[in-house]
Amino acid sequence: MATASSHSPDPRPPLRERKKQRTREALTDAALDLFTRRGFDGVTLDELCDRVEVSKRTFFRTFASKEEVAMAPYEDLWRTFIDDLELRPASPDRPVLQALQDSVLAAMQTMDAGDWAHRLLLCTQLAGKTPAIEAHCLYFCDVTVRAALDVLHRRFSLASHDLRLRLALDILVAAFHRGLETWATRPQAATADQLATDTRAAFAAIPGILTLAAVAPADHA
Amino acid sequence: MATASSHSPDPRPPLRERKKQRTREALTDAALDLFTRRGFDGVTLDELCDRVEVSKRTFFRTFASKEEVAMAPYEDLWRTFIDDLELRPASPDRPVLQALQDSVLAAMQTMDAGDWAHRLLLCTQLAGKTPAIEAHCLYFCDVTVRAALDVLHRRFSLASHDLRLRLALDILVAAFHRGLETWATRPQAATADQLATDTRAAFAAIPGILTLAAVAPADHA
DNA sequence: CAGGCGAATGCCACTAAGTGGCATCCTCTC
DNA sequence: GAGAGGATGCCACTTAGTGGCATTCGCCTG
């Protein structure tokens, strides 16, 4: 209405796309709210769709499953990560694992708009108490790791069958999950900045896994 | 029949238990067969239950989901792993990750009876081509890792919140999965021995994840 | 501005996983 | 051999997810 005269090019995506996007956001917001208040299993899709005034059929054209809508903010992060990998300048000689950590942190920075951190907090907590969501999340990570492997292979000619590379990606994801866990269970201050800090701390723990040794049982009280 | 006279103590578990066990095995065998031949989604539980002559209600008293029956041989391995952890003598000064690898290999050795390797091969291949099964498998691993963390905490007073310990378990699982993948996609000879070999190779790749560096794009053909 | 094209949506019927309740049957024990 | 209790079967039900088709809505062209 108040925006563009008829002949100036509109920088925004066409209305159809914006509508789809709005539906998508309305669904995730309503889902996070309802799931958080009454539990994932305590809310039916019929109810969610009713709330957003959308048919169930449309829901499944937007999300592949009930789990996916709950993890949308999380999945957005990893999609951004893949995008970052595509564009990141090569840094030979630098350990791949380091570069990957940079990409994760960069992706986090990109997400930092609007209320993303808060939505991520909600879906992290939901995943923590809902096996079905957690399972979906872990599978999504698996797919993402394979996608990343593909990008690395294509852009930096890293052998995609090299076990070390795949394991580096796996440990990257695992460490990020620990960072998320720390962040989400913190009593307060689950800000985007704090998430970056917690993630860095989790990454820093990686080298220690090789040398960590058991204490003899007698060594403690 | 030919086994025990009436007053000698029976070493076998009571009949009721044996029956349950037989149903369980019949279900997994039939499931692996049907799923392998016609795909996970191409077989309904009604059909599976009909084949084994068991009610669907009984199926769900034996397995928690359709996915679980397909991964039973895999899950058995990790349960054995946990048992091994419980009994394994402490080895202070030895890196925890090493000890954990020993436990996995020991568990594999224990499983080596009957046709286990073959069943594991089938369910690994199924997981590879069925997202629902893969997701279930990854979640199961997550639960197993937490259980292992608990044992390590209780037996060796390792701090269960130590990120390094958790990450060591995560990388252990990830590496095992790579070993499994190598083993299951090998053209032939998917034997228990070969699995041990492939698993060891995957474990050996772990230290390399820290130092692996990218090759400059210009460095290749 | 008319009108049509194609994408997105809504509606309806349907399949199949998973659950609760209750009657029945089987195994163990005394 | 009789009773107690666990395991099973059967039935009805909920709900996630899908396919098909009519309808609507944004977009583009004449």
Side-chain angles (χ1 to χ4, degrees):
Chain A
M1 314 295 159
T3 49
S5 63
S6 59
H7 56 282
S8 75
D10 194 335
R12 298 175 305 177
L15 176 59
R16 204 182 283 181
E17 289 305 314
R18 274 177 289 157
K19 257 192 163 175
K20 262 173 71 170
Q21 198 52 36
R22 246 189 302 147
T23 308
R24 205 188 150 81
E25 279 165 22
L27 279 170
T28 59
D29 282 344
L32 287 175
D33 177 49
L34 288 173
F35 293 166
T36 297
R37 282 193 292 137
R38 307 218 312 273
F40 183 72
D41 296 322
V43 181
T44 67
L45 285 183
D46 285 319
E47 185 182 353
L48 173 62
C49 291
D50 197 64
R51 165 83 82 95
V52 184
E53 293 184 293
V54 148
S55 78
K56 204 170 59 166
R57 205 66 193 78
T58 294
F59 175 91
F60 280 108
R61 285 193 198 94
T62 313
F63 297 100
S65 70
K66 190 183 176 187
E67 288 79 28
E68 192 175 308
V69 67
M71 290 306 276
Y74 176 88
E75 301 194 359
D76 288 343
L77 174 68
W78 285 110
R79 272 186 279 270
T80 307
F81 164 78
I82 295 288
D83 292 345
D84 185 276
L85 270 194
E86 289 278 10
L87 301 174
R88 178 160 293 271
S91 53
D93 308 329
R94 181 171 169 76
V96 172
L97 187 54
Q98 296 293 325
L100 292 172
Q101 293 176 11
D102 294 344
S103 268
V104 170
L105 291 165
M108 258 171 48
Q109 207 100 35
T110 308
M111 303 303 298
D112 197 354
D115 218 15
W116 178 76
H118 179 243
R119 283 196 293 269
L120 182 69
L121 177 63
L122 292 183
C123 76
T124 303
Q125 289 168 339
L126 277 171
K129 69 174 104 170
T130 314
I133 300 184
E134 182 73 30
H136 175 268
C137 168
L138 291 169
Y139 179 72
F140 174 81
C141 291
D142 192 70
V143 174
T144 301
V145 162
R146 287 198 293 261
L149 215 48
D150 201 59
V151 175
L152 293 171
H153 175 57
R154 190 155 30 75
R155 284 203 58 210
F156 308 111
S157 51
L158 284 160
S160 56
H161 60 271
D162 187 328
L163 288 186
R164 294 171 302 167
L165 184 56
R166 164 76 202 222
L167 290 176
L169 282 160
D170 283 330
I171 197 68
L172 179 85
V173 171
F176 174 68
H177 282 171
R178 303 300 37 102
L180 252 192
E181 186 179 60
T182 305
W183 178 70
T185 54
R186 194 179 292 286
Q188 75 290 345
T191 65
D193 278 359
Q194 186 61 52
L195 175 59
T197 305
D198 289 334
T199 302
R200 263 185 267 267
F203 286 159
I206 295 179
I209 64 179
L210 294 180
T211 52
L212 178 65
V215 196
D219 285 11
H220 83 122
Chain B
M1 321 293 164
T3 48
S5 62
S6 58
H7 55 282
S8 74
D10 195 334
R12 297 175 305 176
L15 176 57
R16 203 181 275 177
E17 289 305 313
R18 274 177 289 157
K19 258 190 164 176
K20 265 173 70 170
Q21 198 51 36
R22 245 189 302 149
T23 307
R24 207 187 149 80
E25 279 165 22
L27 280 170
T28 58
D29 282 343
L32 288 176
D33 178 50
L34 288 173
F35 293 166
T36 297
R37 282 193 291 138
R38 307 219 311 273
F40 184 71
D41 296 323
V43 181
T44 67
L45 284 183
D46 284 319
E47 184 183 355
L48 172 62
C49 292
D50 197 64
R51 164 82 83 94
V52 184
E53 292 186 293
V54 150
S55 79
K56 204 170 57 167
R57 204 67 192 78
T58 294
F59 175 91
F60 281 107
R61 285 192 197 95
T62 311
F63 297 100
S65 70
K66 190 183 177 187
E67 287 79 28
E68 194 176 306
V69 67
M71 290 306 277
Y74 176 88
E75 300 194 0
D76 287 343
L77 174 68
W78 286 109
R79 271 187 278 272
T80 308
F81 165 78
I82 294 289
D83 292 346
D84 185 276
L85 271 194
E86 289 278 10
L87 301 174
R88 178 161 293 270
S91 52
D93 309 328
R94 181 172 170 77
V96 173
L97 188 54
Q98 295 294 325
L100 292 172
Q101 294 176 9
D102 294 344
S103 267
V104 170
L105 291 165
M108 256 170 49
Q109 205 99 37
T110 307
M111 304 302 299
D112 197 356
D115 218 14
W116 177 76
H118 180 243
R119 283 194 294 269
L120 182 69
L121 177 63
L122 292 184
C123 74
T124 303
Q125 289 168 340
L126 277 171
K129 69 173 103 171
T130 315
I133 300 184
E134 184 72 30
H136 175 270
C137 168
L138 291 169
Y139 179 71
F140 174 81
C141 289
D142 193 70
V143 174
T144 301
V145 162
R146 288 198 293 263
L149 215 49
D150 201 60
V151 175
L152 293 170
H153 175 58
R154 191 155 29 76
R155 285 203 58 210
F156 307 112
S157 52
L158 286 160
S160 55
H161 59 272
D162 186 329
L163 288 186
R164 296 171 300 168
L165 184 56
R166 165 75 201 222
L167 290 176
L169 282 160
D170 284 330
I171 198 68
L172 180 84
V173 171
F176 175 67
H177 283 170
R178 303 293 50 93
L180 251 191
E181 186 178 60
T182 305
W183 178 69
T185 53
R186 193 180 291 287
Q188 74 291 343
T191 65
D193 277 359
Q194 187 60 53
L195 175 59
T197 304
D198 289 334
T199 303
R200 262 185 267 266
F203 286 159
I206 294 179
I209 65 180
L210 295 179
T211 52
L212 177 66
V215 194
D219 284 12
H220 83 120

